[in-house]
Amino acid sequence: MNISDDDLFKDPPPKEDCEICMLPIPYAQSLCRVGKTYMPCCGKVLCSGCIIASFTEMEKGNMKQWCAFCRLPFPRTSGEFTKRYNNRMKVKDAEAFRMLGKCYLDGGGFVKKSINKAIELWNRAVELGSIGVHYYLATAYLEGRYVGRNPTIALHHFKMAAIGGHEKARYYLGLFEYDNGNHHRAMKHFMIAARSGYDDALKEVGMGYKAGHVTKDDYASTLRAYKESQDEMSSEQRTKAEMEFPFKD
Ligand SMILES: [Zn+2]
Ligand SMILES: [Zn+2]
């Protein structure tokens, strides 16, 4: 479970794009006011802007009640729902394990609440490399929520999520290092998270600059990268969606 600093601090991979509007989707839900939805029909992840726009068209009667990407009608029975997830899990789709786990965690809809089942699905999702589930498990182990509290396991999941590009996981690593007095390592994490478009991390970099932990050049380049990242993720459709349905994290 040892992770080298070379691996930990290398540039994260680019964010994946929404399959409809082709704009990047952040890993952290609601970052830059962008959310995401998994479609178990085709296995695509669509951004909140495209989802809300399609729901608006459905309400107006301009669009059928179907997936905005593959046009398969939404499942109407628990049998249909389960069949779709089973098909996606058969092809080892990590997002299907992540999302079905979340359904079991919340309960309702087609699924009866079961924490054990949720954790079982999430363990499978991380085996398949789900960045989102590394983050879920990190916070669960940190807070002792759904699983026994274990800060060591939490830290491992935060690192794996951050390496995969999870902006908030990267920010948390910065906070841990800062609390331990490791200002230089903290700022390295905050700069990576800020360059990925995360506001709170940018604030930390700004404070680090004032305190002398960050050079002027590093602060300036982080600020530029932050703005670029925010611009890439922003669109009128996404802003409109957020105004109509503000996300809860
Ligand atoms: Zn989109
Ligand atoms: Zn679909």
Side-chain angles (χ1 to χ4, degrees), residues 52-121:
I52 301 299
S54 70
F55 283 169
T56 307
E57 289 306 300
M58 284 172 207
E59 266 172 26
K60 287 183 191 161
N62 298 336
M63 189 174 167
K64 290 185 187 166
Q65 305 267 325
W66 60 22
C67 167
F69 182 82
C70 73
R71 300 188 167 192
L72 203 68
F74 294 141
R76 289 178 190 282
T77 63
S78 66
E80 272 174 17
F81 176 88
T82 308
K83 196 175 159 200
R84 286 189 195 175
Y85 272 101
N86 283 343
N87 286 341
R88 293 306 309 168
M89 291 192 292
K90 259 188 230 156
V91 295
K92 298 189 168 68
D93 177 354
E95 279 293 302
F97 287 91
R98 176 186 73 84
M99 198 55 219
L100 190 59
K102 210 158 183 304
C103 292
Y104 274 105
L105 194 72
D106 299 336
F110 295 124
V111 166
K112 197 162 163 270
K113 186 171 175 146
S114 163
I115 306 281
N116 287 345
K117 184 80 185 155
I119 298 296
E120 183 191 317
L121 288 162

Side-chain angles (χ1 to χ4, degrees), residues 190 194 198-210 219:
F190 288 143
Y198 193 31
D199 313 55
D200 288 349
L202 183 71
K203 282 180 203 149
E204 297 291 340
V205 178
M207 287 191 280
Y209 170 57
K210 283 179 197 153
Y219 181 44

Side-chain angles (χ1 to χ4, degrees), residues 108-162:
F110 295 124
V111 166
K112 197 162 163 270
K113 186 171 175 146
S114 163
I115 306 281
N116 287 345
K117 184 80 185 155
I119 298 296
E120 183 191 317
L121 288 162
W122 280 359
N123 283 332
R124 185 78 184 103
V126 290
E127 280 171 19
L128 295 168
S130 169
I131 304 305
V133 174
H134 272 302
Y135 179 76
Y136 291 160
L137 288 175
T139 53
Y141 278 108
L142 185 70
E143 294 163 9
R145 196 165 25 102
Y146 318 126
V147 289
R149 185 176 139 76
N150 188 324
T152 308
I153 297 180
L155 188 63
H156 175 75
H157 283 298
F158 274 122
K159 287 180 180 175
M160 293 302 289

Side-chain angles (χ1 to χ4, degrees), residues 18-23 25 46-51 237-238:
C18 167
E19 295 278 351
I20 294 181
C21 66
M22 293 295 158
L23 298 178
I25 300 182
L46 307 180
C47 81
S48 46
C50 292
I51 288 289
Q237 186 172 265
R238 286 179 170 188

